[in-house]
Amino acid sequence: MTVYIDPPDWPGHGRLWSHLVSDVSFEELHAFAASIGCPPRAFERDHYDVPESRYADAVRAGARQIGSKELVRRITEAGLRRPKGRPVPALGDPAPDSVDQPSAGGLR
């Protein structure tokens, strides 16, 4: 299992946020997120938004700390990147072969 988390540098709703991703599968990502108490509503397209207050919990549970650019590179190479502006594949559809680079605003 390889799940990654970037630093809590992304502001929103009066907090700082991290992004939690897997470079293996969404199934792995959902299982890990559930194991650390991330609610399903925290999932957005290809990542979970994790508040700064839960960052250490994710790392203790096994998430590897990496920078935001490296995080995007890994999920892009794995074919799991789902940038805004593209339809989310239906369940069972393969991940897209070609994906866009992230916007200046990060994974959102």
Side-chain angles (χ1 to χ4, degrees):
M1 177 181 283
T2 308
V3 175
Y4 300 95
I5 192 164
D6 65 359
D9 293 336
W10 303 99
H13 308 286
R15 296 178 167 186
L16 291 176
W17 299 84
S18 292
H19 301 109
L20 184 72
V21 303
S22 167
D23 65 354
V24 173
S25 69
F26 289 110
E27 291 78 17
E28 175 186 62
L29 177 59
H30 295 313
F32 184 89
S35 78
I36 63 169
C38 283
R41 72 179 180 276
F43 183 71
E44 185 180 343
R45 304 186 65 81
D46 56 11
H47 67 278
Y48 278 85
D49 290 322
V50 178
E52 180 178 30
S53 61
R54 302 296 309 273
Y55 180 82
D57 296 335
V59 172
R60 273 193 298 276
R64 294 184 55 198
Q65 302 171 77
I66 61 174
S68 299
K69 289 181 182 180
E70 178 68 11
L71 181 144
V72 171
R73 185 187 68 77
R74 288 179 188 245
I75 64 172
T76 298
E77 288 179 359
L80 298 173
R81 182 78 174 104
R82 293 178 175 170
K84 279 189 175 179
R86 290 209 177 179
V88 175
L91 290 177
D93 285 354
D97 292 333
S98 173
V99 294
D100 297 334
Q101 294 299 314
S103 66
L107 291 180
R108 295 188 182 102

